[in-house]
Amino acid sequence: MSIESLIRAIPDFPLPGILFRDITPLLKDAKGFRGAIDLFVERYKGRGIGHVVGIEARGYMLGAPLAYGIGAGFIPVRKPGKLPYSKLSESYALEYGTNSLEIHADALGDGDRVVVIDDLLATGGTAAATRRLLERLGAKIESFAFLIELEALKGREALPGAEVISFIKY
Amino acid sequence: MSIESLIRAIPDFPLPGILFRDITPLLKDAKGFRGAIDLFVERYKGRGIGHVVGIEARGYMLGAPLAYGIGAGFIPVRKPGKLPYSKLSESYALEYGTNSLEIHADALGDGDRVVVIDDLLATGGTAAATRRLLERLGAKIESFAFLIELEALKGREALPGAEVISFIKY
């Protein structure tokens, strides 16, 4: 079964007019899950990536196994109020609403080479906010990785000059 | 460096009087992260586990790589309002506050053998609520897995008759 066939489209979630791409059928399918993670592992192994940065919360479900698979550390970028230590914050406009993201101030340092991962690239707002957080820490973003890209929303344009990869495009 | 030495204690988070055990220094350390995940992988490989159930959100950071490592599927148990499809809900009393947890109604079926994972066992409220969700779906819980256990809070007593494992005890 293909990875794409395990992604479910849910109309009007979380708001009317949004067609939500639900990856939970893929995650629960052992072969599908392994296949999806291995797409990222094959792409990033051997590139000297020290850390994988996952965006809350579906980015953790893909990013933590990617980090494990390539022998990197894992860094969570979190919604406000979840991180307990000294931290940085950046706000962003989402496809539906606004919010901010936080990272621990000691999560990364100058020149650390990272991949940023989330399940889906929509407008690119969360990815761009994550980029600002990482640049404030001095990290070098090798790539932005997404399982799914909604091409009509032009999220790539929010990440100028960066490598952006995705495996399923709608 | 030992896994335990990479866990940071943060006083008074998220509320006064709580000593929060912060696993982010462990997650970001590539060797520490791999070592921690491998503790779980060694424990659960070869036991016929079909799915790993992770509790939002730190349970995803440990549970998704565990699922990848043992060739299982991954199921997220989520905070309210995050899952897009038909779902079940159970509420619980937390160490600090109250909340509920949700799972997709089609996440698991009769006799599916699962491990439930989270970073920390405190009072056991979230784990017990997850157990109720899984029992409503007919799944068989092979084990509850935690990186850290706060023994004074007696969370094991909230999970009578279940296998409960943890690797670091305070």
Side-chain angles (χ1 to χ4, degrees):
Chain A
M1 198 176 299
S2 77
I3 288 171
E4 188 168 347
S5 71
L6 290 165
I7 294 170
R8 175 163 56 187
I10 312 262
D12 300 320
F13 184 88
L15 293 174
I18 306 281
L19 183 64
F20 186 85
R21 302 292 176 169
D22 177 17
I23 65 168
T24 62
L26 171 66
L27 299 174
K28 82 171 177 181
D29 184 281
K31 284 185 185 171
F33 179 55
R34 171 162 284 272
I37 300 303
D38 282 344
L39 288 175
F40 294 105
V41 169
E42 292 303 314
R43 179 80 190 204
Y44 294 114
K45 71 180 181 187
R47 285 181 59 178
I49 306 295
H51 299 85
V52 174
V53 177
I55 301 176
E56 186 163 3
R58 284 181 294 273
Y60 305 163
M61 304 177 200
L62 302 176
L66 170 59
Y68 180 74
I70 64 174
F74 178 73
I75 311 280
V77 164
R78 299 215 61 174
K79 302 285 172 61
K82 305 293 185 68
L83 289 171
Y85 194 65
S86 174
K87 59 203 178 185
L88 310 181
S89 178
E90 288 281 345
S91 49
Y92 62 94
L94 190 62
E95 194 181 351
Y96 31 84
T98 63
N99 211 332
S100 63
L101 290 173
E102 298 182 339
I103 195 168
H104 271 155
D106 67 346
L108 293 162
D110 255 357
D112 281 341
R113 297 170 64 185
V114 307
V115 168
V116 177
I117 188 167
D118 205 351
D119 66 326
L120 183 141
L121 176 60
T123 64
T126 54
T130 299
R131 182 184 203 166
R132 294 193 296 277
L133 289 171
L134 296 172
E135 287 176 348
R136 288 168 65 186
L137 294 178
K140 178 172 180 349
I141 301 175
E142 294 286 325
S143 189
F144 288 91
F146 304 93
L147 185 62
I148 300 165
E149 179 175 0
L150 306 183
E151 291 185 300
L153 296 178
K154 301 185 178 177
R156 286 173 181 265
E157 294 180 7
L159 302 168
E163 176 183 291
V164 178
I165 69 113
S166 66
F167 293 105
I168 298 170
K169 298 175 203 301
Y170 295 110
Chain B
M1 196 176 300
S2 77
I3 288 171
E4 187 167 348
S5 71
L6 290 166
I7 294 170
R8 176 164 56 187
I10 312 262
D12 300 321
F13 184 89
L15 293 174
I18 306 282
L19 183 64
F20 186 85
R21 303 292 176 169
D22 177 17
I23 65 168
T24 63
L26 171 65
L27 300 174
K28 82 172 177 180
D29 183 280
K31 283 184 186 173
F33 179 56
R34 171 162 285 272
I37 300 303
D38 282 343
L39 289 174
F40 293 105
V41 169
E42 293 303 314
R43 179 79 189 205
Y44 293 114
K45 71 181 180 185
R47 284 181 59 179
I49 306 294
H51 298 85
V52 174
V53 177
I55 301 176
E56 185 161 3
R58 285 181 293 274
Y60 305 163
M61 304 177 200
L62 303 175
L66 169 59
Y68 180 74
I70 64 174
F74 178 73
I75 310 281
V77 164
R78 299 216 60 175
K79 303 284 172 61
K82 305 293 185 68
L83 289 173
Y85 193 66
S86 174
K87 61 204 177 184
L88 310 182
S89 179
E90 288 281 344
S91 51
Y92 62 95
L94 191 62
E95 195 180 352
Y96 31 84
T98 62
N99 211 332
S100 63
L101 290 173
E102 299 182 338
I103 195 168
H104 270 155
D106 67 346
L108 292 162
D110 255 357
D112 281 340
R113 297 170 65 186
V114 307
V115 168
V116 177
I117 188 167
D118 205 351
D119 65 326
L120 184 140
L121 176 61
T123 63
T126 53
T130 299
R131 181 185 204 165
R132 295 193 296 275
L133 290 172
L134 295 173
E135 288 176 348
R136 288 169 64 187
L137 294 179
K140 178 171 181 349
I141 302 175
E142 294 287 325
S143 188
F144 288 90
F146 304 92
L147 185 63
I148 301 165
E149 179 174 2
L150 306 183
E151 292 186 297
L153 296 178
K154 301 185 178 178
R156 285 172 183 267
E157 295 180 6
L159 301 168
E163 176 184 291
V164 178
I165 68 113
S166 67
F167 295 104
I168 299 170
K169 299 175 203 300
Y170 296 109

